[in-house]
Amino acid sequence: MKICVVGTGYVGLVSGACFADLGNLVWCVDKDINKIKLLNNNKVPIFEPGLQELVNKNYLSGRLKFTTNLTDAIKASDIIFICVGTPTSKKNRSADLKYVFNVAKKISKMY
Ligand SMILES: NC(=O)c1ccc[n+]([C@@H]2O[C@H](COP(=O)([O-])OP(=O)(O)OC[C@H]3O[C@@H](n4cnc5c(N)ncnc54)[C@H](O)[C@@H]3O)[C@@H](O)[C@H]2O)c1
């Protein structure tokens, strides 16, 4: 299966690496160009036990790819996971979903 994971933080990067390790082709997308540069240079910007090895293995196999290009990643995928942050809102302490809606809007414009 071809999968797009938007947001390469704790949830997105771990999920993407695990999906790739299960044999899927995974595009991990982030708007943070520095994060994508690090990942494309074999450097995992967060610490999770075993993650560096899992990312390396699947990146080298070609099943795990990193990009800032949401459009291309979506076009190449059957399923899209939105894994961007949902920080606590300053107004009422609920989850601020603006980053999720932002990505959803971009996806909706492609269909
Ligand atoms: N971290 C946890 O342990 C945990 C546990 C349960 C649930 N969650 C939930 O999972 C979600 C993701 O959490 P996280 O900890 O991985 O967040 P994170 O802040 O570590 O990562 C979010 C990533 O999304 C990227 N991003 C934001 N907007 C983007 C956009 N428009 N396009 C592409 N990339 C974009 C950011 O640059 C960042 O790298 C949140 O809703 C969080 O509440 C997290």
Side-chain angles (χ1 to χ4, degrees):
M1 194 160 280
K2 294 170 192 159
I3 296 174
C4 171
V5 178
V6 188
T8 59
Y10 286 92
V11 171
L13 185 58
V14 172
S15 303
C18 290
F19 287 141
D21 205 51
L22 289 169
N24 299 289
L25 175 59
V26 182
W27 283 96
C28 281
V29 183
D30 207 288
K31 66 178 182 181
D32 183 338
I33 193 163
N34 291 324
K35 203 177 258 192
I36 294 301
K37 270 187 194 160
L38 282 175
L39 288 163
N40 276 321
N41 281 296
N42 204 14
K43 293 189 176 88
V44 172
I46 55 172
F47 178 72
E48 287 286 345
L51 185 60
Q52 177 79 58
E53 294 78 5
L54 204 64
V55 168
N56 291 356
K57 175 185 159 195
N58 287 284
Y59 182 83
L60 290 175
S61 77
R63 283 192 303 271
L64 185 59
K65 296 172 183 297
F66 300 106
T67 182
T68 55
N69 192 325
L70 181 66
T71 307
D72 284 356
I74 289 171
K75 278 185 191 160
S77 302
D78 305 310
I79 296 179
I80 306 159
F81 289 86
I82 302 178
C83 301
V84 300
T86 50
T88 306
S89 165
K90 284 176 190 144
K91 285 183 205 155
N92 54 13
R93 301 174 74 195
S94 61
D96 183 350
L97 300 178
K98 71 178 170 209
Y99 301 108
V100 176
F101 291 143
N102 187 11
V103 175
K105 263 187 210 151
K106 285 183 184 161
I107 296 169
S108 72
K109 283 182 185 152
M110 295 181 56
Y111 293 96

